[in-house]
Each structure stands twice: as structure tokens, then as C-alpha cells.
Amino acid sequence: SAIDQINSNETISQPKMSRASAHLLKRVLMVPPNHFTVEYSINPWMTNEKVDKEKAMQQWTELKKAIENEGVEVLTMEQQPNLPDQVFVCNSGLVFKDKVYLSRFRHKERTGEQEHYLKWFKANRYQTIGEHYEKFFEGGGDAVFSDDKTLWAGFGPRTDKSVYDLIKKLGDVEIVICELTDPKFYHLDTCFAPVDETTALWYPPAFSEATKMEIKRRLPNSIAINDDEAKAFVCNAITVRNTVISPIGIGEQTKDTLGKRGFRVTEVPMGEFMKSGGACQCLVLRL
Ligand code: ARG
């Protein structure tokens, strides 16, 4: 019957429930942009363009709603007036179960954020590691899980490669070192976004040859994006269940490829945050 047919079609197009990202995102932390500005420059995207505060709040709210629509709980933390980049809370640390490895920022402009994150994690009963701030490390901006134990470990412009020896203390984590070679793609999350256990959206020119090979080997279904998409920050996307939430600018071909694999795309405007070199992935810390 017609109904049977609809049902069976649904079954076919319904992606497997074992998607890696599905269990990774249950709760996230975000910081509403009450004091977000661009007033210094610590990456090539920060060219002193004035932020439209109202627009920034709208864009942030749209992102938050897109995440909540997928059934994810969004916690929020207040932004300090003198720390304009605190909205990029994904840089606060790397959370693994009930532990967090705290970030030490490369640039003095952001080190003031550290004490506020430490306070938040303690208040929320996380076991904190990295409180001696031995090595530069920028948290979820450079260290990204593609399944429940595989950690893509970016280093270069911001994070020290050697910090990953300390990050092993988080527990049963397999660390895959990723060398970033292009100053425009200064955090791993600007050129790499896991989609499921065999797929990432990625921008190959941002990586060393060895890292490119490792990405192709471990994530063989990965989708390489083009220059225009890279400039639009398309890799700064997050996957929640079967939805890829990305900044506007994802190409038709990429959308098609994702669609065939059972993923739909929700595009959100992120223009105000891109003036600071950030977008969807940077604004969200996975808890
Ligand atoms: N202006 C911020 C910085 O340069 C942007 C951080 C973006 N965060 C990210 N995870 N890519 O530090």
C-alpha cells in the first residue's frame, strides 16, 4: 500500500543511528555576545571591521535555536566586558566525560578568559586538568573528536604539539596529530569538521602532507571543500545527529554529497563573528 511504501522509503533514507556525532552532542555551552567586538588582531581575519552588536546577537540566537532544534541542551555563561573573544567558548578547554583539560591561550589578549573558564568548570563539577598552564592549548578550537575516543589534535599557530602528551591524562583517547600549515586556518576547526565516523568536511590546503594522508586514511568518505567555501568558513560547522549546521556559503555539490549520505544542512548567517575569524564551531563548546 501507499503507506507501506512511504514507510519503507523512510527506512531507506533514514541514516544509521550509530552516527558518531549523535552521542557526542547532548549538551553544549555558549556565551551570548553581550560584549563582542573586534578591537585587536590575532588572526588574519581580524581586520578591524566594526561589529554590528545587534546583528551579532541575532546570528548567535539563530545558531542557538538551530542547535536546540536538534534536541541539544544549550547552557550559557556570561561574557566579561573586557574580553571580546570570550564568545568563542569552544577555546576554553577540551571536555572528555567529567574531565576538562584547560586552555592556555597563545595571545595575551585572550589569557584573561582562563580564570573565568576555570571558575565555570569547577562550579559545574568538572575535574579540571591543566591548571598549571604548561603549554599553549586552545581547547576545542584545535582538538576535535570524530567519535567517542578519536581525537584530532591540531597544532601550529596556536597549540603546542607537545601538549597532547599531557592531554592523554583525560583517559581512553586516541590522539591523531594534525599539522596546520596555513595562517588563515589557524585553528583545526577552521578547516576540519567531523560529520560521522568516516566523514569530515575539510579543506586540504590547510594541512601538511602527512596530515592529509591521515585524514584520508581514517576518514575515507571525507568531503573536500573548495576555496570559496573555505573563505565562507564552511568547515566551521557542527554536526548534530543528521544535521550539519554551517555558516552560509556551503556549495550545492557539498550539500548534495551530504544529502546522499543522509545529512541535511542548516545554514546560519555568521558574518559578524567571521570578522573575528570564527563561526558555528567556535561559538559552541561540547560538554
Ligand atoms: N578572534 C578569536 C581568536 O583569534 C577567534 C577564535 C575562533 N575560535 C575558533 N575555535 N576557531 O582567537
Side-chain angles (χ1 to χ4, degrees):
S1 72
I3 287 182
D4 281 336
Q5 218 171 333
I6 289 168
N7 283 340
S8 66
N9 280 343
E10 264 176 17
T11 318
I12 291 162
S13 62
Q14 199 66 220
K16 307 169 280 172
M17 279 317 290
S18 64
R19 296 287 189 196
S21 32
H23 65 272
L24 282 178
L25 267 198
K26 286 198 184 97
R27 279 205 308 172
V28 299
L29 177 63
M30 292 180 71
V31 174
N34 286 314
H35 308 283
F36 171 58
T37 55
V38 178
E39 45 194 63
Y40 48 76
S41 177
I42 55 172
N43 72 56
W45 307 87
M46 300 176 88
T47 56
N48 221 353
E49 259 184 281
K50 204 172 154 31
V51 170
D52 179 332
K53 291 207 167 185
E54 215 173 294
K55 224 170 160 185
M57 189 55 90
Q58 280 167 10
Q59 294 178 348
W60 182 89
T61 305
E62 199 174 324
L63 174 63
K64 179 170 178 276
K65 283 195 183 135
I67 295 169
E68 287 171 336
N69 273 342
E70 302 299 327
V72 174
E73 182 189 2
V74 179
L75 306 184
T76 56
M77 171 188 184
E78 279 309 299
Q79 180 178 14
Q80 299 296 310
N82 52 342
L83 297 171
D85 273 339
Q86 196 185 350
V87 295
F88 301 111
V89 67
C90 126
N91 295 124
S92 59
L94 177 67
V95 172
F96 184 70
K97 297 178 183 161
D98 57 347
K99 299 197 187 91
V100 58
Y101 193 99
L102 299 160
S103 292
R104 173 191 174 189
F105 287 89
R106 172 77 66 172
H107 298 287
K108 60 175 184 330
E109 288 85 347
R110 295 197 66 182
T111 52
E113 297 173 36
Q114 289 169 191
E115 58 174 298
H116 301 285
Y117 298 140
L118 176 62
K119 227 185 278 169
W120 190 90
F121 285 120
K122 284 202 181 293
N124 286 275
R125 298 170 186 278
Y126 282 86
Q127 185 188 327
T128 54
I129 314 181
E131 269 166 77
H132 301 300
Y133 301 106
E134 286 165 70
K135 311 268 183 187
F136 293 119
F137 175 59
E138 297 203 356
D142 267 328
V144 180
F145 282 103
S146 62
D147 59 41
D148 55 5
K149 58 175 293 199
T150 309
L151 184 67
W152 295 85
F155 78 95
R158 297 291 179 90
T159 293
D160 280 335
K161 186 179 179 181
S162 57
V163 77
Y164 292 108
D165 291 333
L166 306 172
I167 282 176
K168 288 184 186 140
K169 288 183 198 155
L170 280 174
D172 184 19
V173 174
E174 185 177 356
I175 291 170
V176 186
I177 294 290
C178 295
E179 184 173 10
L180 300 168
T181 55
D182 181 336
K184 277 200 117 162
F185 300 96
Y186 60 95
H187 276 141
L188 180 63
D189 71 0
T190 62
C191 47
F192 180 85
V195 173
D196 66 17
E197 57 273 86
T198 60
T199 314
L201 283 177
W202 70 307
Y203 183 56
F207 296 96
S208 71
E209 287 307 314
T211 297
K212 279 187 226 176
M213 275 170 51
E214 205 49 26
I215 292 173
K216 287 186 202 158
R217 189 174 74 82
R218 291 178 181 255
L219 303 170
N221 296 316
S222 286
I223 303 166
I225 62 159
N226 64 31
D227 295 354
D228 290 338
E229 291 173 306
K231 268 182 228 139
F233 258 76
V234 162
C235 279
N236 205 254
I238 46 178
T239 305
V240 191
R241 301 183 216 299
N242 303 316
T243 303
V244 175
I245 303 172
S246 101
I248 289 171
I250 189 159
E252 287 308 316
Q253 206 181 320
T254 307
K255 254 188 227 172
D256 275 5
T257 314
L258 284 169
K260 286 195 186 107
R261 317 210 31 195
F263 289 94
R264 69 174 163 255
V265 174
T266 299
E267 288 179 273
V268 288
M270 284 280 110
E272 295 311 303
F273 299 100
M274 281 157 63
K275 294 174 181 172
S276 189
C280 309
Q281 210 177 149
C282 313
L283 292 170
V284 175
L285 178 76
R286 290 159 191 266
L287 295 176

